Amino acid sequence: KLLPAPGGPLRGKRIVITAGPTHEPLDPVRFIGNRSSGKQGYAIAAACRRAGAEVTVVSGPVSLPAPSGCEMVRVETARQMLAACEELMPSDVFIACAAVADYRPALETKHKVKKERGGLTAIDLIENPDILREIASRSANRPGLVIGFAAETDDVLGHAESKMKRKGCDWIVANDVSPGRPAMGGDQNEVTVLGFEGDKTLPLMSKDALGDMLAAMIGRALGG
Ligand code: CTP
Ligand code: CA
C-alpha cells in the first residue's frame, strides 16, 4: 500500500518516529493527556519520506492527516507506544518526538467513575516507561542514530544537555516552551540541536522547514 520510496539522501533508510501525545485512561470515558498537536513529528516524518526514507510513525491521538507515504501505527498509551516501537526495531534512525505522559493513573476502572458511588477526589499515579531511554539503551538492535526532543521552560540548553546524557540519545532537539513561545500547538518552532556537529542553533522557522532541515542533517550524519 505504500508507494515506492522516492530517491534522495535518505533512500533505503528505515526511520521510526513517535509523535503526538499519549492518553492514559482513568475509566472508559476519561484520560490524562497533554496539548501536543503532533505537528512537529508529522512534519519530520513527511520530510524524511520526501528525502527517500521508509518512515513509520507511531502516533498518539491527534487530529492530523497521516503524513504522505508513511506507515502509521496508532496507539493511545505510553505502554502501547513503547511496545509498538520495540516491535519496529531494528531501524536506522529513531526519533522521539511524542509528548509521552510521564505518569498514568495507577488504577484504570472498567466502569465509569460515578459521583454517587463516591466519585474521585484524587488520582494515584505511577511512572510510565521512558520510550526514548529504552530504545537508546538497547543492547541489541540499537538504531545507529537516536534523536530526542526536550521541551523546557528555563535553562533550556542545560536541561536538554543533561537529558541527552541521562537518556543516552545521540542528538537532542531543544526548544523553549515558555508561555508566548512558538512551539506548542503552533506552526513554527525555534530549536537548538545538541549533539549534531557540536550544537546547532536554528532560526525560527515553520515546523515543515524544521522537518526538512532535520532530514538533511540526518542524511549528513548517515553519510548520504
Ligand atoms: N520521552 C519518552 N518517553 C517518556 C518520556 C519522554 O520517549 N516516558 C521522550 C520524549 O519523546 C522526548 C524526550 O524523551 O524525546 C524528552 O521528553 P521530556 O518530557 O522533555 O523528558 P522527561 O525525561 O520526561 O523529563 P521532564 O518531563 O521531567 O522534563
Ligand atoms: Ca516528560
Side-chain angles (χ1 to χ4, degrees), residues 94-97 132 146-150 167 169-174 193:
F94 179 75
I95 307 173
C97 202
L132 175 59
V146 177
I147 305 172
F149 275 70
K167 293 177 185 252
C169 55
D170 305 302
W171 301 355
I172 202 152
V173 183
V193 184

Side-chain angles (χ1 to χ4, degrees), residues 41-190:
Y42 277 45
I44 296 166
C48 289
R49 175 65 189 171
R50 284 194 296 275
E54 281 170 37
V55 180
T56 303
V57 186
V58 181
S59 178
V62 299
S63 49
L64 291 174
S68 159
C70 298
E71 180 189 15
M72 297 298 295
V73 177
R74 293 174 204 279
V75 299
E76 293 208 340
T77 68
R79 286 175 299 170
Q80 290 166 357
M81 189 172 271
L82 174 62
C85 291
E86 285 185 324
E87 203 154 296
L88 288 161
M89 292 298 112
S91 70
D92 297 294
V93 183
F94 179 75
I95 307 173
C97 202
V100 182
D102 292 329
Y103 300 94
R104 66 177 182 271
L107 292 176
E108 178 191 351
T109 64
K110 296 258 179 302
H111 302 284
K112 186 182 171 194
V113 174
K114 298 295 289 176
K115 281 183 288 188
E116 61 270 27
R117 282 194 232 124
L120 197 60
T121 54
I123 301 170
D124 271 332
L125 299 172
I126 49 177
E127 204 170 337
N128 266 328
D130 188 316
I131 299 165
L132 175 59
R133 198 180 53 209
E134 293 292 332
I135 298 293
S137 64
R138 286 171 74 89
S139 49
N141 289 332
R142 183 194 188 273
L145 179 60
V146 177
I147 305 172
F149 275 70
E152 309 288 349
T153 56
D154 51 276
D155 186 15
V156 174
L157 296 185
H159 279 129
E161 179 90 49
S162 52
K163 208 165 258 181
M164 178 162 73
K165 295 217 173 83
R166 195 166 68 238
K167 293 177 185 252
C169 55
D170 305 302
W171 301 355
I172 202 152
V173 183
N175 66 359
D176 186 341
V177 291
S178 306
R181 304 285 303 171
M184 285 305 251
D187 291 316
Q188 291 191 307
N189 212 343
E190 189 175 9

